[in-house]
Amino acid sequence: MGLFARRKTIFVDSDILVIGGGMAGCGATYESRYWGRDLKIVCVEKANIERSGAVAQGLYAINCYMGMQWDENQPEDHVRYARNDLMGLVREDLGYDIARHVDSTVHKFEEWGLPIMKDPETGRYQREGKWQIMIHGESYKPIVAEAARKAATEVYNRIMVTHLLTDATKLNRVAGAVGFNVRTGDFYVFRSKAVIVCAGGASHIFKPRAVGEGMGRTWYAPWSSASAYALPILVGAKMTQMENRIVLTRFKDGYGPVGAYFLHLKTYTENAYGEEYESKWYEHTKELVGDYVNRHPVPTCLRNHALLEEVKAGRGPIRMVTKEAFQDPHKETVGWENFLGMTISQAVVWASQNTDPKYTNPELTTSEPYVMGSHATCSGAWASGPADCAPSDYQWGYNRMMTVDGLFGAGDTIGGTAHKFSSGSFTEGRIAGKAAVNYVNDLGNERPEVSEAEYRGLEKVIFQPLETYRIGRNEIVAGTVSPSYILPIHGLQRLEKVMDEYVGGISAHYTTNEPMLDRGLELLGMLKEDLAHLGAEDLHQLQRAWELHHRVLASEAVTRHTMYRTETRWPGYYYRADHPKLDDKNWHCFTLSRYDRETGEWELEKAPVYHIVD
Ligand SMILES: Cc1cc2nc3c(=O)[nH]c(=O)nc-3n(C[C@H](O)[C@H](O)[C@H](O)COP(=O)(O)OP(=O)(O)OC[C@H]3O[C@@H](n4cnc5c(N)ncnc54)[C@H](O)[C@@H]3O)c2cc1C
C-alpha cells in the first residue's frame, strides 16, 4: 500500500508533446520551437536525452548527406537508391522530402559543434561512401540534445510513456499520453493538442544470437522497445511494411559496423576456403527475384542472401579480408578508430579472441531481425505526405500525420522511408514539428478533451504489475517461479522464442510459412493473455513490463503482415518457404494494417506504390 499511497499524479499541458528525445525527437522539438515561438513544447523521454536512443554511444559516420552544395548528389538520386535497396517499395514522396532538407540539418550539426572530417585536398566533407560522411561522433547525441533542450519549454526525462490518450468527443483524435516516472513512480498525464511519436525502433523481439549473460549485446539498441509502433497501433493508427524486418551482416559477436571497411578500406569477403562466393549465387538469386539482382548497388538483403546460402552450403565461416588493407598504417588506424565512436566492444571482443585484423581475417555473421523505419528497412506508421509532391492517395492532412488526427511521427516511427539514418531522422522530426505547429495553429482555441475515466483506468492498468507482485511473491515455489505471475524477463524470452522459431528468426534460417505463422499467432495470443499476470518487483521491472507489452504488440503486427504478403520480397531478410519468389504482379504494393482495440481484430489491406521519380 505504501508505494500506492505516495504516488502523485502530475498533469502537464502542452500544445505539442514529443515522445522520445532521440534523433527524430530532438529534431521535432527544435523545429516546433522555430515555427511555434509562443507554443508550449514538451519533450518526454524514458531515459535522459543527453545520451538516449540508438545514437547514445555516438556514431562514426552520418549516413545520409546529399552534398548538394558541391553537386555531389540530388534528392532524386537518393530516392532511386532507397527504392532499389528496398526491392522497389518505398514512399518516394516522403523520401524525397527528407533528402531535399537533410543537408541543412547536417550543416546545423556542424554549426552546433559536431566535428565533421574534411578531405584535405578539396575541403569538402570526407566521404566514406556515396551517401556517408565521416564524423568524430562520440558526442553526437549530447550536441543534438542541447539544441532540443534549449528549444523545449520543458524536457521530462525518465518518463516511460505507456499509452496515448484520445479525445473524449472525437475518438480518432489524439489528446495526449500517460506514463510513469521510472525513478519516483509518479503517474504522468500529458494533455496536448498534437503529439509527435519519435520512440525509436525495436530490438529483442526476435531471439538474439547473444543469449544468457550476453543478451544485452544486440546490434540495434537494446532499449529500443517498439513503443514507436505499439503506441500508435493501440489508438488505431494504420501501420505499413511491418513484415520488412532487417537483418544485418556485421562482425561476429561484437556487431561492429562493416560500412567503413567495405567503402573506405576497400576490404572484401571470402568463404572459409578463401573463395569469392557472391557471384556463385547469381543465377540462383535471379531465379528468386529476377532483374533486382542486377541492380547497382546490389540490394542489402540480396547480399545477406548470398552469405546465408554459402554458410548453408557448409562453406562458412565467412570472413572479411582485412589482412591486406591493414598493411597500410593509415587504413589500419581508420579500421580501429571506426569502432571508437560507436562500438568499442568490437575491439574488445577481438582482443579477447586473439583476433588482430592485420594478421587474421575476422568473421562476419548475420544478426537476428530487427524492426525499424530508418535503416535499410522501412517498417512503421502510415503517414500523410508533403503537400507539393505526395500523390492524393498519400495525402489526408498534415505532413507526417498518421491516420489519427493530431498524431505525428518521425524517424524509426514512420514507415515507407528507408535510409534516413541519424541525419534523416532528425530532418523528418523537423518536418513533423513544422506540420504539427500548423495543425495546432489551425485548431485555434479548440482543445481535445481528456477524459478522467480514461486516464484513471489506465493508471490502474499501468501499476497493476507492482500490485500483482506484492500479493503473489509469498507464493514463490522456487527461485523466481510463482504460480501467480510471470516476470518481464520470462515474458521476453517467451516472445523471442516464438518469433525466432515461427516468424523467421535465426534458428529457423529466417524462414517461415503460413502454418508456422498461424501457430506463432496462436502462441502470441496465449502470451498476450499471460501479460495480464505480469509481476514487477520495482519500478525498473515495471518499465520492463511495459516495454514487453509494446514488443508483443509490435511482434503481432510483424507476424500478421508477414502472413499477408504471400511472396518472398526480401530474401536475406526473411523467406516465405510457401511463396519463395518475389511476385511483382501481385505484391508491388505496400501492406497496411489497422488494429481495433475494442475487438482485438486486425484488418489488412494493400496500398499502391507510386513512382514519382523516374
Ligand atoms: C548500431 C547502430 C549503428 C548505426 N549507425 C549509424 C551510422 O553510422 N550513421 C547514421 O547516420 N545512423 C546510424 N544509425 C541509425 C540511427 O541511429 C537511427 O536512424 C536514429 O537514431 C533513429 O532515430 P529515432 O529518433 O527514430 O530513434 P532513436 O534515436 O533511437 O530515439 C528514440 C528515443 O525514444 C525513447 N523512447 C523509446 N520508447 C519510449 C517510451 N515508451 N517513452 C519515452 N521515451 C521512449 C528512447 O529512449 C530514445 O531516446 C545506427 C543505429 C544503430 C543502432
Side-chain angles (χ1 to χ4, degrees):
M1 192 62 204
L3 186 67
F4 285 81
R6 280 201 308 273
R7 186 194 313 137
K8 285 191 279 192
T9 299
I10 294 166
F11 295 93
V12 180
D13 290 321
S14 60
D15 294 299
I16 296 178
L17 175 69
V18 178
I19 300 177
M23 288 308 288
C26 287
T29 307
Y30 172 81
E31 195 76 9
S32 297
R33 171 60 67 226
Y34 183 86
W35 298 100
R37 292 278 150 197
D38 303 323
L39 297 185
K40 187 166 180 203
I41 293 147
V42 166
C43 177
V44 51
E45 161 63 48
K46 71 175 178 178
N48 185 314
I49 68 166
E50 290 306 301
R51 282 277 175 196
S52 70
V55 180
Q57 78 283 26
L59 294 179
Y60 189 69
I62 286 177
N63 284 353
C64 183
Y65 180 73
M66 302 299 114
M68 284 187 274
Q69 59 175 323
W70 301 303
D71 205 17
E72 291 176 333
N73 297 292
Q74 295 305 319
E76 290 84 353
D77 301 325
H78 195 261
V79 171
R80 289 186 196 102
Y81 164 63
R83 176 173 69 202
N84 181 42
D85 199 51
L86 270 290
M87 311 292 278
L89 312 185
V90 286
R91 278 282 301 271
E92 298 185 11
D93 57 323
L94 301 181
Y96 178 79
D97 199 21
I98 293 171
R100 66 180 162 179
H101 294 302
V102 73
D103 283 10
S104 75
T105 288
V106 174
H107 301 157
K108 281 191 186 302
F109 292 163
E110 188 172 33
E111 199 182 306
W112 297 339
L114 179 71
I116 303 183
M117 297 185 204
K118 301 268 167 54
D119 181 320
E121 276 169 24
T122 62
R124 297 179 183 183
Y125 295 152
Q126 176 72 54
R127 283 279 180 195
E128 181 186 276
K130 190 168 166 60
W131 307 105
Q132 300 84 352
I133 55 172
M134 296 167 81
I135 59 175
H136 293 288
E138 188 280 336
S139 298
Y140 191 6
K141 186 66 207 299
I143 289 168
V144 167
E146 186 183 348
R149 220 174 347 98
K150 287 178 175 162
T153 311
E154 274 162 303
V155 174
Y156 289 85
N157 287 314
R158 307 282 173 207
I159 313 283
M160 166 83 195
V161 174
T162 55
H163 301 80
L164 296 176
L165 294 169
T166 46
D167 184 1
T169 56
K170 196 173 167 217
L171 260 189
N172 196 40
R173 178 157 84 176
V174 76
V178 290
F180 62 96
N181 186 307
V182 302
R183 296 283 161 88
T184 65
D186 289 337
F187 177 55
Y188 275 75
V189 180
F190 295 94
R191 295 177 291 215
S192 193
K193 292 180 181 170
V195 173
I196 310 177
V197 176
C198 301
S203 61
H204 280 290
I205 69 171
F206 287 85
K207 190 174 93 190
R209 285 203 184 268
V211 291
E213 88 288 354
M215 76 169 282
R217 186 68 227 148
T218 50
W219 171 76
Y220 212 51
W223 48 82
S224 298
S225 54
S227 302
Y229 313 119
L231 294 172
I233 288 173
L234 273 170
V235 293
K238 284 189 182 175
M239 306 304 285
T240 189
Q241 303 297 84
M242 292 301 283
E243 69 279 25
N244 180 218
R245 74 294 288 280
I246 185 170
V247 169
L248 294 300
T249 297
R250 287 290 179 271
F251 287 117
K252 189 162 181 299
D253 298 334
Y255 293 97
V258 295
Y261 278 70
F262 281 126
L263 298 169
H264 194 66
L265 308 185
K266 308 288 180 217
T267 57
Y268 54 92
T269 59
E270 62 182 26
N271 70 14
Y273 303 102
E275 298 158 352
E276 183 277 327
Y277 60 89
E278 281 195 17
S279 58
K280 262 195 258 172
W281 295 103
Y282 174 82
E283 290 301 335
H284 160 84
T285 311
K286 195 168 181 182
E287 277 276 293
L288 297 178
V289 300
D291 178 51
Y292 286 98
V293 73
N294 295 324
R295 305 286 169 87
H296 187 75
V298 177
T300 310
C301 63
L302 298 185
R303 274 181 281 140
N304 286 349
H305 176 67
L307 187 152
L308 290 171
E309 290 299 321
E310 189 68 4
V311 171
K312 266 199 271 175
R315 290 187 289 270
I318 304 299
R319 291 182 185 270
M320 179 78 93
V321 181
T322 51
K323 285 198 283 193
E324 294 162 14
F326 272 58
Q327 299 313 314
D328 172 347
H330 167 69
K331 288 189 174 174
E332 184 183 14
T333 306
V334 173
W336 284 108
E337 281 184 357
N338 181 40
F339 298 136
L340 279 181
M342 58 187 281
T343 322
I344 293 175
S345 48
Q346 183 64 59
V348 179
V349 167
W350 280 352
S352 73
Q353 297 178 346
N354 282 344
T355 302
D356 181 344
K358 198 171 180 175
Y359 306 108
T360 310
N361 293 327
E363 280 177 66
L364 295 173
T365 193
T366 48
S367 72
E368 60 280 3
Y370 302 93
V371 179
M372 53 189 297
S374 69
H375 214 273
T377 173
C378 58
S379 303
W382 185 239
S384 187
D388 63 334
C389 64
S392 58
D393 278 358
Y394 299 165
Q395 265 193 68
W396 53 89
Y398 299 79
N399 202 353
R400 266 53 174 201
M401 192 170 86
M402 302 181 202
T403 53
V404 173
D405 279 3
L407 181 59
F408 295 78
D412 278 334
T413 306
I414 294 296
T417 46
H419 289 279
K420 45 197 165 192
F421 294 99
S422 61
S423 48
S425 295
F426 188 95
T427 305
E428 195 170 42
R430 292 177 63 194
I431 293 169
K434 182 178 177 184
V437 169
N438 287 337
Y439 173 84
V440 168
N441 287 341
D442 290 350
L443 277 185
N445 290 330
E446 207 188 325
R447 171 174 271 285
E449 205 180 298
V450 170
S451 128
E452 185 172 356
E454 186 185 6
Y455 67 73
R456 286 297 171 211
L458 287 171
E459 180 185 14
K460 199 162 178 300
V461 172
I462 292 166
F463 291 96
Q464 184 60 44
L466 291 174
E467 188 69 359
T468 304
Y469 180 85
R470 197 177 64 82
I471 294 168
R473 70 182 165 181
N474 295 325
E475 301 166 351
I476 282 180
V477 286
T480 54
V481 180
S482 161
S484 300
Y485 56 74
I486 60 167
L487 296 178
I489 185 72
H490 298 151
L492 182 67
Q493 285 167 347
R494 219 167 111 187
L495 170 70
E496 290 177 346
K497 183 171 157 64
V498 173
M499 295 301 286
D500 179 56
E501 293 176 353
Y502 295 95
V503 192
I506 45 176
S507 69
H509 293 293
Y510 309 99
T511 304
T512 185
N513 61 25
E514 188 173 326
M516 302 271 269
L517 292 164
D518 255 334
R519 179 68 182 141
L521 282 172
E522 230 177 309
L523 292 168
L524 284 177
M526 292 178 210
L527 175 57
K528 273 169 76 177
E529 280 173 26
D530 287 347
L531 292 188
H533 306 286
L534 273 171
E537 68 175 307
D538 54 24
L539 291 169
H540 185 72
Q541 290 305 316
L542 188 63
Q543 176 172 5
R544 291 286 175 266
W546 282 100
E547 289 176 343
L548 176 62
H549 272 284
H550 290 175
R551 284 185 163 110
V552 170
L553 194 60
S555 299
E556 191 180 352
V558 171
T559 311
R560 291 190 183 274
H561 275 252
T562 308
M563 174 93 100
Y564 186 64
R565 184 182 283 282
T566 51
E567 65 161 350
T568 298
R569 163 89 21 190
W570 304 277
Y573 285 175
Y574 77 94
Y575 302 84
R576 276 286 306 252
D578 45 353
H579 299 280
K581 292 190 179 183
L582 181 143
D583 175 5
D584 250 346
K585 191 160 148 273
N586 294 303
W587 290 103
H588 192 89
C589 63
F590 296 113
T591 54
L592 305 188
S593 66
R594 186 178 177 280
Y595 175 70
D596 182 332
R597 64 176 156 172
E598 299 304 327
T599 62
E601 298 292 315
W602 295 75
E603 262 173 46
L604 282 112
E605 61 180 312
K606 293 179 178 180
V609 172
Y610 292 112
H611 298 300
I612 60 171
V613 170
D614 44 298

